[in-house]
């Protein structure tokens, strides 16, 4: 018998009958339940980037029942994307990535409100985009966008779930969570281009964004539900070539230009 059938019908819920069935495996978890699922439905998550990382992040958050998902990207779907950007497909080649992703997410879960922003996030528009969301997720691929996200998140006290990938490696951390460090504590300034080449130059194995993005999605759900140990003050590094996961302690930078007192 599904848990949604066992639920007390006399207690009103914001979840419909269809949603109770869709999320039945979540609701059966003691750390989620009806209350947790309702919290997910009320939550608003902004994902900046709908490429390699944005694909698994958006798909799992959509399936999980995050009520409002914002998608930010200014690119279109290209055939070279399909090796790792699994939210897109041949039927949306040439389309705006945000609209391509929206189409796929609504096919996963029809109970969502998907907001699309076909723009490039930067310092001038970041605060306006971010202020209405509860969590911001970094699925971008450059430092300037991350700094813009980080700084705006600090202004509005919004948790910032960071992820990045290159070749066979990736990393995940949660910044601006409660009194934890921010992204500029780890990277006060952008490294030279030769030390941080883009994925189009170095290449990336198709499964690494799936692993890193799924961990990012997990951190989003834990932050919203207020459960588990959050990757705040820690950097999780992933090396799939050697099947190596390692946590590195991160300290708040007392001289950080954004979050220091």
């Amino acid at each position: 018998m599904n848990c949604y059938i066992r639920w007390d019908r006399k207690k009103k819920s914001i979840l419909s009958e269809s949603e109770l069935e869709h999320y039945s495996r979540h609701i059966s978890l003691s750390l989620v339940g009806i209350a947790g699922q309702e919290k997910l439905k009320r939550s608003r998550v902004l994902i900046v980037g709908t490429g390699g990382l944005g694909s698994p992040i958006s798909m799992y958050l959509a399936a999980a029942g995050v009520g409002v998902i914002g998608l930010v990207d200014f690119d279109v779907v290209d055939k070279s994307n399909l090796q790792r950007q699994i939210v897109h497909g041949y039927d949306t080649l040439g389309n705006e990535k945000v609209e391509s992703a929206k189409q796929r997410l609504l096919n996963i879960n029809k109970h969502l409100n998907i907001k699309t922003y076909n723009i490039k996030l930067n310092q001038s528009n970041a605060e306006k985009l971010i202020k209405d969301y509860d969590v911001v997720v970094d699925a971008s691929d450059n430092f300037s966008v991350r700094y813009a996200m980080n700084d705006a998140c600090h202004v509005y006290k919004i948790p910032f779930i960071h992820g990045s990938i290159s070749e066979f490696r990736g990393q995940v951390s949660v910044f601006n969570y409660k009194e934890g460090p921010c992204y500029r504590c780890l990277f006060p300034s952008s490294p030279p281009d030769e030390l941080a080449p883009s994925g189009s130059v170095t290449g990336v194995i198709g499964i690494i964004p799936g692993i890193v993005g799924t961990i990012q999605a997990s951190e989003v759900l834990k932050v919203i539900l207020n459960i588990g140990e959050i990757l705040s003050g820690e950097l999780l590094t992933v090396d799939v070539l050697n099947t190596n996961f390692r946590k590195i302690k991160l300290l708040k930078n007392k001289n950080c230009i954004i979050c220091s007192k």
Side-chain angles (χ1 to χ4, degrees):
M1 183 182 294
N2 288 332
C3 69
Y4 75 93
I5 295 175
R6 299 197 302 267
W7 178 62
D8 182 2
R9 306 291 181 167
K10 295 178 182 178
K11 184 179 179 182
K12 273 199 166 185
S13 173
I14 63 172
L15 302 172
S16 67
E17 288 289 320
S18 177
E19 288 173 300
L20 289 168
E21 182 174 5
H22 184 117
Y23 308 127
S24 62
R25 297 302 185 272
H26 265 182
I27 293 169
S28 65
L29 292 168
S30 61
L31 291 179
V32 181
I34 290 284
Q37 196 61 51
E38 290 178 336
K39 192 180 288 187
L40 290 173
K41 183 179 175 68
R42 292 189 185 99
S43 65
R44 302 168 62 90
V45 176
L46 184 70
I47 304 169
V48 181
T50 55
L53 289 172
S55 291
I57 295 167
S58 63
M59 292 168 72
Y60 273 109
L61 294 184
V66 170
V68 178
I69 297 177
L71 303 173
V72 181
D73 207 314
F74 63 96
D75 204 356
V76 297
V77 181
D78 181 80
K79 195 177 290 186
S80 65
N81 302 147
L82 304 184
Q83 159 257 11
R84 65 204 176 283
Q85 300 182 16
I86 57 173
V87 77
H88 309 298
Y90 274 96
D91 57 342
T92 58
L93 284 174
N95 293 3
E96 293 176 359
K97 281 188 176 179
V98 289
E99 294 302 324
S100 169
K102 178 179 180 179
Q103 178 180 319
R104 178 73 179 98
L105 299 185
L106 289 176
N107 189 47
I108 293 173
N109 189 346
K110 66 180 183 178
H111 307 292
L112 308 176
N113 181 1
I114 308 290
K115 296 183 177 294
T116 58
Y117 308 91
N118 187 39
I119 58 174
K120 183 174 183 178
L121 186 141
N122 53 44
Q123 289 286 359
S124 64
N125 63 21
E127 287 190 21
K128 183 178 179 181
L129 280 172
I130 283 170
K131 65 184 178 65
D132 294 326
Y133 288 88
D134 304 310
V135 182
V136 173
V137 191
D138 171 22
S140 65
D141 61 359
N142 70 81
F143 281 89
S144 64
V145 174
R146 291 178 185 132
Y147 287 134
M149 282 187 278
N150 175 79
D151 300 353
C153 284
H154 177 72
V155 170
Y156 291 105
K157 302 186 184 305
I158 299 172
F160 173 43
I161 316 296
H162 161 68
S164 64
I165 54 174
S166 178
E167 298 181 330
F168 297 89
R169 298 178 297 277
Q171 62 185 34
V172 184
S173 189
V174 177
F175 296 111
N176 199 42
Y177 182 71
K178 298 182 177 178
E179 296 300 316
C182 79
Y183 183 73
R184 287 187 186 267
C185 291
L186 179 61
F187 295 107
S189 60
S190 301
D193 290 343
E194 62 270 19
L195 295 181
S198 67
S200 61
V201 175
T202 62
V204 60
I205 191 72
I207 49 84
I208 190 65
I211 295 170
V212 172
T214 303
I215 295 172
Q216 286 180 270
S218 174
E219 292 302 303
V220 172
L221 297 180
K222 290 191 296 179
V223 166
I224 293 171
L225 296 170
N226 193 29
I227 60 175
E229 295 183 6
I230 309 298
L231 273 173
S232 175
E234 294 180 309
L235 181 72
L236 176 68
T237 63
V238 181
D239 179 350
V240 297
L241 198 60
N242 300 300
T243 319
N244 184 24
F245 288 74
R246 188 163 64 107
K247 279 185 181 180
I248 301 169
K249 196 74 176 173
L250 296 181
L251 298 177
K252 200 174 179 75
N253 182 356
K254 295 179 181 179
N255 298 312
C256 177
I257 63 172
I258 292 298
C259 71
S260 68
K261 293 182 180 180

